Amino acid sequence: MNDAAAPSEEAAGGRMTLVEHLAELRRRLIVCMVALAGGFVVCWVFYPQILDFLTAPYCDVVSPDAEGLDAPGKCRLLVLDPLEPFAVRVSVAGYGGAALAMPVLLWQAWRFITPALFPRERRHTAGFVIVATLLFAGGVALAFWTIPRALGFLAELGGDDLVSFFSPRRYLSFVVKMALAFGLGFEFPILLIFGQITGLIPTSTLQRIRPWAAVGIVVVGAVITPTGDPFTLLILSGPMYAFYELSILFGVARQRRAEREEAAESAPAPSERSAADTS
C-alpha cells in the first residue's frame, strides 16, 4: 500500500490517537503478511535450487574417502521420517520467504515508528532500510563462509571412527541458526546508531562502557551461535566489536556537526556585526 495515504497527523507532527495507531499498525501488518506470502510462494517454487545452495557447505566438508550417502558428489541428507521432506520444504520456503521479505518488513517497521520521531530523524528512513538490509545480507554471507569450517571443526572433534549423516531438519536448523545469528549480529550497529539518533543511548555512555561491551559481545556471540566453537565465536564477535567502535565514531561526528550548527546559528549575522562596528 502507498505510504502517501498515511494519516495526515504524521506530517503535522506525529500526534495520532490510539485508534489511528492501531489502524496504522493493522495496515502495515497486512503489507508484511502479503510480502511474507509472496516470498513463501517464490521459495516454494525454487525449493530444489535453494536446497542445493543450503547443502553446499555440507558438501564442502564431505570426506574424499567416504562411500555411499556421504561420498563426494552424493552429499545427501538422511531422511528418517516420511513426513520430513514436506516439513523441510515448508521450513525452507518459510525461512526463505522471510529473507526475501526482509526489506519490506524493515521498511514497514521503520515507517510505523517515524511519526514519533522529529523531522531531522525521519530523513534517515531510506538509509536505515538499505543499510540494515545490506548488513543482514553481509552477515548471512559470512555465516555461509563460516559453516563449512565450523562443520569441519565439529566433525574432527569426534574422531575418524565417526561418519556424519545429517537429517535434513537438523542440518537446516543448524544452517538457519547460523544465518540468523550472523545476520542479526550484523544489525548491531543499526541499533546503536538509532539509539544515538533518538537520544536513548548517549555516545558518552558507549565510550564509557567499552570494556564491558567487549565482554558482552563475546558472551552474546557464544549464546546465539549454535556451534560455540572458538573459530565461529571469533568470526562473529570481531565484526560486532568493530561495528561498536564505528557507531561511536558516528556519534562523535554527529555531535561535532551539531555543535558547529549551533555555533553558526548563534553567531550574529554580517549585517548585525557591521552595525555593531559602526556604532
Side-chain angles (χ1 to χ4, degrees):
M1 300 179 71
N2 189 357
D3 284 322
S8 59
E9 285 82 356
E10 180 175 334
R15 296 185 178 275
M16 300 169 61
T17 65
L18 177 60
V19 174
E20 290 169 337
H21 273 298
L22 293 177
E24 179 74 2
L25 177 61
R26 182 185 63 179
R27 186 175 71 87
R28 299 202 178 276
L29 286 177
I30 291 174
V31 174
C32 291
M33 289 192 302
V34 171
L36 288 172
F40 181 91
V41 172
V42 171
C43 292
W44 181 276
V45 173
F46 292 97
Y47 166 78
Q49 293 83 356
I50 297 175
L51 186 62
D52 290 341
F53 174 76
L54 294 176
T55 55
Y58 168 57
C59 298
D60 291 342
V61 298
V62 169
S63 172
D65 301 327
E67 298 179 356
L69 287 173
D70 221 18
K74 297 181 180 179
C75 48
R76 293 172 290 184
L77 302 173
L78 186 62
V79 175
L80 301 175
D81 183 350
L83 298 178
E84 192 167 8
F86 174 76
V88 168
R89 186 157 190 160
V90 172
S91 298
V92 169
Y95 286 119
L100 289 180
M102 186 61 64
V104 177
L105 302 181
L106 291 174
W107 176 262
Q108 294 300 321
W110 183 257
R111 290 295 297 167
F112 179 71
I113 65 175
T114 46
L117 303 178
F118 293 104
R120 179 179 297 180
E121 297 166 348
R122 299 181 194 178
R123 296 181 301 180
H124 301 283
T125 300
F128 167 81
V129 175
I130 293 173
V131 173
T133 303
L134 293 177
L135 286 174
F136 188 86
V140 172
L142 184 60
F144 274 90
W145 179 84
T146 308
I147 286 173
R149 293 153 181 83
L151 288 176
F153 174 83
L154 295 174
E156 291 177 359
L157 288 179
D160 297 333
D161 295 332
L162 300 182
V163 179
S164 298
F165 293 100
F166 301 137
S167 70
R169 185 175 300 178
R170 293 189 176 182
Y171 171 75
L172 293 176
S173 175
F174 169 78
V175 172
V176 168
K177 289 178 181 178
M178 285 285 288
L180 286 177
F182 278 77
L184 295 178
F186 272 49
E187 298 295 313
F188 186 51
I190 296 295
L191 296 177
L192 296 180
I193 290 175
F194 177 75
Q196 291 179 89
I197 291 176
T198 57
L200 297 176
I201 308 176
T203 305
S204 58
T205 301
L206 296 179
Q207 293 173 323
R208 188 174 62 254
I209 63 172
R210 265 194 180 102
W212 298 103
V215 175
I217 287 172
V218 174
V219 171
V220 170
V223 171
I224 66 176
T225 52
T227 60
D229 63 282
F231 176 78
T232 304
L233 180 59
L234 177 63
I235 294 299
L236 178 59
S237 301
M240 287 183 67
Y241 185 76
F243 288 143
Y244 184 87
E245 293 292 339
L246 289 175
S247 66
I248 291 178
L249 293 178
F250 168 84
V252 171
R254 183 170 174 271
Q255 287 179 350
R256 291 177 178 175
R257 184 180 63 182
E259 291 173 357
R260 289 195 299 267
E261 292 177 354
E262 290 178 359
E265 292 177 357
S266 61
S271 57
E272 295 178 355
R273 289 200 302 266
S274 59
D277 293 338
T278 55
S279 61

